[in-house]
Amino acid sequence: MASRFADMFVDLNDDPRVDAPGQADERSTLLGFLRWQRATLELKCAGLTPADLARRSLEPSKLSLLGLVRHLTDVERGWFRGGLAQEDTASLYSSREDPDGDFDGAVPDPEVVAAAWAAWREEAEYTDRFVRSADFGLSVPDEWRGPLSLRWVLIHCVEEYARHLGHADVLRERIDGRVGQ
């Protein structure tokens, strides 16, 4: 009988992700869950060529693994750097003129792929540094929902990654049959 784990990315005992702490303060717990989600994105993209990473799901969708990396970079950049830290910064990939720039620019070019991963890592490091030192009472104004707390933004980012990791599962399975994790 075949194992349902046969096509997973890595052996369950060799999974490189670190679980969020089970007995820690709120900040450490939320950052732990966000890091786990990020590590899952890396795992789902591991070992793929630039062409694989840029491969679209199905026409007319623009969805690709590389597009997700670029999108999640802008998500963290927008919420933490632009929103909570109130830095005067723009999205790296999307704009009013090109709202789908994160996905439109996800092309099978090794330099584009390397730049996307570098930017994603830079934003993740920024988020982690910012959250470690920020006041949990900090909030960002939101025109639809009113002020949003750092706590809300962290939970939203975990949710954003989790939703898109479901997309990444389908994309990866379509590329090479790998599933899970």
Side-chain angles (χ1 to χ4, degrees):
M1 180 171 148
S3 167
R4 66 184 182 109
F5 297 112
D7 292 327
M8 291 186 121
F9 293 92
V10 296
D11 183 275
L12 293 176
N13 295 323
D14 297 326
D15 191 331
R17 296 170 298 176
V18 176
D19 285 332
Q23 294 288 318
D25 61 273
E26 184 176 17
R27 183 182 321 265
S28 298
T29 301
L30 289 171
L31 274 175
F33 274 100
L34 183 55
R35 286 189 199 114
W36 192 90
Q37 297 292 336
R38 290 184 195 133
T40 302
L41 178 65
E42 286 186 290
L43 187 64
K44 291 178 186 302
C45 294
L48 296 176
T49 67
D52 290 334
L53 290 168
R55 183 175 174 183
R56 311 288 180 169
S57 57
L58 293 171
E59 294 297 331
S61 176
K62 299 176 181 186
L63 192 65
S64 69
L65 289 168
L66 181 57
L68 289 174
V69 171
R70 291 163 52 100
H71 172 71
L72 291 165
T73 299
D74 273 351
V75 166
E76 287 202 48
R77 184 178 180 86
W79 280 112
F80 294 98
R81 209 181 276 268
L84 290 163
Q86 296 184 351
E87 291 183 12
D88 185 18
T89 187
S91 293
L92 294 176
Y93 304 110
S94 300
S95 65
R96 285 194 192 279
E97 299 76 33
D98 187 10
D100 291 330
D102 42 4
F103 291 96
D104 290 339
V107 296
D109 178 326
E111 290 180 16
V112 171
V113 171
W117 281 114
W120 178 77
R121 285 184 179 90
E122 182 179 328
E123 292 308 319
E125 289 170 10
Y126 179 91
T127 295
D128 290 354
R129 278 192 316 273
F130 180 84
V131 171
R132 280 194 299 272
S133 64
D135 178 354
F136 254 64
L138 183 64
S139 66
V140 61
D142 183 87
E143 65 183 89
W144 298 294
R145 296 168 283 221
L148 301 173
S149 68
L150 171 59
R151 183 178 290 105
W152 187 96
V153 171
L154 278 165
I155 291 169
H156 172 70
C157 284
V158 168
E159 175 270 333
E160 181 89 6
Y161 270 90
R163 179 171 7 100
H164 290 309
L165 289 173
H167 300 132
D169 277 335
V170 173
L171 289 163
R172 182 65 189 249
E173 186 174 8
R174 185 165 189 266
I175 291 166
D176 66 3
R178 303 305 295 267
V179 298
Q181 290 168 296

